[in-house]
Amino acid sequence: MSKEKESPSDSAKPPVEYEIMQDKNTDFISLLKAEIKDKSVSNEVKKTPFPTFGLPKIILDFSNEISEIYGVPFEFPALAALCAVSASLRKKFCVDSGKFKNFPQLWLQFVSPPGVGKTEPAAAAFRPLLKLEKLSYDQYQTEFDQWQAECIDAKKLKENDPRKPTYKQCLVDDFTPESLYQTMFRNDGAITLYRDELSGWFADFGRYGKSGEISRYLSIFNNAQFCINRKSEEPLQITEPFMSICGTIQPEVLNEILSNNNLKENGFASRFLYVYPGNIKKQKYSEKIPDISIIDRYEELIKHCYYLPKFEQPLTLSPEAKSLFIDYADLITDMVNNCADNFLRATYSKMEIQVLRISLIIQIVRGIYNNMEWQKSQISKEAMHYSIELCKFFTDNVQRISNTDSTVKINIADAIKTIHKTYVIKNKQMFADAIGVKRQFISKLCNE
């Protein structure tokens, strides 16, 4: 398929070698497949290895363990664990860069084909949190039963009913927009969506009428205050809403969802961090079983984060971390200015926010195991450096998301046009017979 570059004076001359090939022995189908494959390869993006050097040891050990047991890419359990920490911390901590204030909030999608084992890493990461949710619900049920008994006594004494208990939770998976706002209101405006298949969540968009839920999610990502006013209901004022998102999805499903809901155009898709390993395959069965000591240490981390008190003062950037952040912000600015794809531009522009949020999560976990770092109340140089490298991993992944529909764009008609432009199809009838189309179709494409 490759040929030497022609001089301008020779560019109008049809290549001799292809004219010679155009006989009954020409394998037109292979030629067509080669052209489509050639264009597909040109649309591939580089794969940046997932950085591990800055992960806190407990998350590193947990991720290695889960990756080996279930035969999944290391980044699946590692990033699911960071999102589980995010869900546990909620709004207890924030980082103030001087211009931006951010909570440890993450929107993560794990993208891979069916059958490769993307479900279990997230399940393992969130399992300790689900246990804590169960304990909280059991406590709520006990308090609710007690409240009902107290209401009966109050009625007999003609007194006001005692205050109704609320269910303290940090995870949701299936909800209406109205119930989501109610849940956030009851839980200091903080909640995490953890759902195995995010396709079900996307499918619910608009299901309950024109509720404006997508625009609401956009404001929640920015932690922008909002108030819900409904007839016959008390208003719900949610200050600095927090919502982390973690779930899995298949590449083809994601592409269809983004296309059907204009989620790339309205900026919704650009808020996510995508975990999309290339050429992922299902691994052979492994007899390795979990190391209980590692699993227990990870569970203790999640418990510790869950029960931490709220830290009133925001963390700031150390001088070294701030210098790294400014350099990265300038790099992002160059990436935005040099990019023609609007979806990628919008995604790149969010990376300043993402790197601050990730660095806050990393720093909190580092501080839990290092009292000196905890007392400084600053994002360290090490935490910022690692978060920047992790965001570089994500910017490469999002290019793969941008190209999920590349195989659709590269169709037979386009390939035939390219073949004709490059080699000049002389025997159109023979070409048409070989690939099973009408000669008129080939002629029309060649004349365009």
Side-chain angles (χ1 to χ4, degrees):
M1 291 292 296
S2 61
K3 59 190 182 69
E4 294 182 357
K5 184 178 180 181
E6 300 171 342
S7 64
S9 60
D10 294 333
S11 61
K13 298 178 182 179
V16 175
E17 66 268 26
Y18 190 72
E19 291 187 61
I20 296 173
M21 289 174 59
Q22 295 187 60
D23 56 29
K24 63 182 179 180
N25 296 318
T26 302
D27 188 350
F28 291 105
I29 293 180
S30 294
L31 185 66
L32 195 61
K33 287 181 178 180
E35 179 61 33
I36 293 176
K37 181 179 179 181
D38 181 64
K39 285 185 174 293
S40 298
V41 169
S42 69
N43 280 309
E44 291 180 357
V45 297
K46 65 178 181 179
K47 180 182 179 182
T48 298
F50 181 81
T52 61
F53 67 89
L55 276 176
K57 188 176 186 305
I58 178 56
I59 294 181
L60 182 68
D61 292 345
F62 171 79
S63 304
N64 277 324
E65 191 72 7
I66 298 302
S67 176
E68 291 179 15
I69 291 171
Y70 298 104
V72 295
F74 176 90
E75 52 263 44
F76 278 14
L79 292 169
L82 289 183
C83 206
V85 171
S86 162
S88 303
L89 293 172
R90 289 153 286 177
K91 297 196 305 182
K92 296 176 181 178
F93 298 87
C94 70
V95 56
D96 189 344
S97 66
K99 293 175 63 177
F100 307 104
K101 177 183 175 182
N102 278 280
F103 296 109
Q105 175 178 284
L106 293 178
W107 286 19
L108 277 173
Q109 289 194 57
F110 295 91
V111 187
S112 67
V116 298
K118 59 183 179 292
T119 296
E120 190 54 39
F126 275 83
R127 196 163 288 130
L129 203 49
L130 290 169
K131 290 181 181 179
L132 294 171
E133 290 280 275
K134 178 64 167 59
L135 290 175
S136 180
Y137 185 75
D138 290 344
Q139 181 180 349
Y140 163 72
Q141 289 284 45
T142 300
E143 293 174 353
F144 185 82
D145 292 342
Q146 183 179 349
W147 172 77
Q148 286 186 315
E150 291 174 353
C151 286
I152 293 174
D153 293 338
K155 187 175 182 179
K156 291 178 180 178
L157 298 172
K158 297 183 179 180
E159 297 177 349
N160 294 330
D161 288 345
R163 187 170 183 175
K164 186 177 180 180
T166 58
Y167 171 34
K168 300 298 182 183
Q169 65 183 114
C170 64
L171 298 179
V172 292
D173 63 353
D174 190 13
F175 49 84
T176 65
E178 293 298 331
S179 66
L180 174 65
Y181 307 145
Q182 290 279 355
T183 303
M184 295 183 76
F185 181 76
R186 294 194 306 267
N187 291 277
D188 191 31
I191 205 70
T192 291
L193 165 61
Y194 164 57
R195 188 163 178 165
D196 178 24
E197 289 288 346
L198 285 176
S199 56
W201 174 54
F202 285 120
D204 284 342
F205 286 2
R207 178 181 175 186
Y208 304 98
K210 297 181 179 180
S211 57
E213 56 202 287
I214 292 180
S215 61
R216 181 69 65 204
Y217 286 130
L218 297 181
S219 63
I220 290 175
F221 177 87
N222 296 326
N223 310 124
Q225 176 178 309
F226 65 92
C227 185
I228 302 297
N229 295 281
R230 294 290 185 265
K231 186 177 180 180
S232 302
E233 292 182 8
E234 291 297 315
L236 303 179
Q237 181 77 44
I238 301 179
T239 304
E240 296 181 319
F242 167 104
M243 185 176 186
S244 279
I245 300 172
C246 182
T248 66
I249 198 164
Q250 298 173 24
E252 296 79 7
V253 176
L254 175 61
N255 180 55
E256 181 180 357
I257 288 171
L258 296 183
S259 300
N260 291 347
N261 294 281
N262 295 319
L263 299 183
K264 284 186 178 180
E265 290 77 8
N266 62 26
F268 182 82
S270 298
R271 266 74 175 172
F272 281 90
L273 297 170
Y274 297 92
V275 192
Y276 191 3
N279 301 318
I280 181 174
K281 296 181 179 179
K282 182 176 175 59
Q283 302 299 307
K284 298 290 186 180
Y285 178 80
S286 171
E287 292 187 356
K288 181 177 174 61
I289 59 176
D291 184 327
I292 299 302
S293 64
I294 293 177
I295 302 302
D296 287 347
R297 283 193 294 117
Y298 171 75
E299 185 167 342
E300 284 302 315
L301 168 65
I302 298 299
K303 282 184 180 179
H304 189 85
C305 292
Y306 184 85
Y307 289 114
L308 277 171
K310 186 173 183 179
F311 203 75
E312 296 299 335
Q313 294 298 320
L315 274 70
T316 58
L317 304 184
S318 69
E320 299 84 358
K322 189 166 187 177
S323 178
L324 289 172
F325 174 72
I326 292 173
D327 289 343
Y328 181 65
D330 290 342
L331 172 65
I332 288 299
T333 298
D334 291 338
M335 292 175 65
V336 172
N337 290 337
N338 295 327
C339 181
D341 186 304
N342 287 334
F343 167 61
L344 292 179
R345 284 171 60 91
T347 306
Y348 295 158
S349 68
K350 301 296 181 293
M351 284 299 163
E352 288 182 39
I353 296 174
Q354 306 283 18
V355 77
L356 289 171
R357 294 176 176 183
I358 294 172
S359 67
L360 178 58
I361 296 171
I362 296 295
Q363 187 61 49
I364 295 302
V365 179
R366 287 171 61 93
I368 288 173
Y369 296 96
N370 185 328
N371 194 50
M372 290 184 63
E373 288 204 27
W374 187 267
Q375 292 177 352
K376 289 180 181 178
S377 298
Q378 288 186 326
I379 303 296
S380 66
K381 175 183 68 175
E382 292 78 11
M384 180 59 70
H385 179 207
Y386 178 68
S387 300
I388 288 172
E389 293 304 311
L390 191 52
C391 281
K392 291 178 180 177
F393 165 82
F394 283 122
T395 53
D396 285 346
N397 270 245
V398 80
Q399 292 179 45
R400 190 170 289 110
I401 297 297
S402 182
N403 288 346
T404 52
D405 58 348
S406 60
T407 54
V408 177
K409 292 178 180 177
I410 303 169
N411 53 42
I412 293 177
D414 290 338
I416 292 172
K417 290 179 186 178
T418 302
I419 291 172
H420 178 66
K421 182 178 179 181
T422 306
Y423 299 103
V424 183
I425 299 175
K426 287 291 185 179
N427 195 328
K428 297 179 178 58
Q429 185 64 59
M430 187 181 297
F431 196 109
D433 292 342
I435 64 174
V437 299
K438 294 183 178 180
R439 184 188 61 78
Q440 292 83 349
F441 177 67
I442 301 295
S443 298
K444 179 181 178 182
L445 294 174
C446 292
N447 292 331
E448 290 182 357

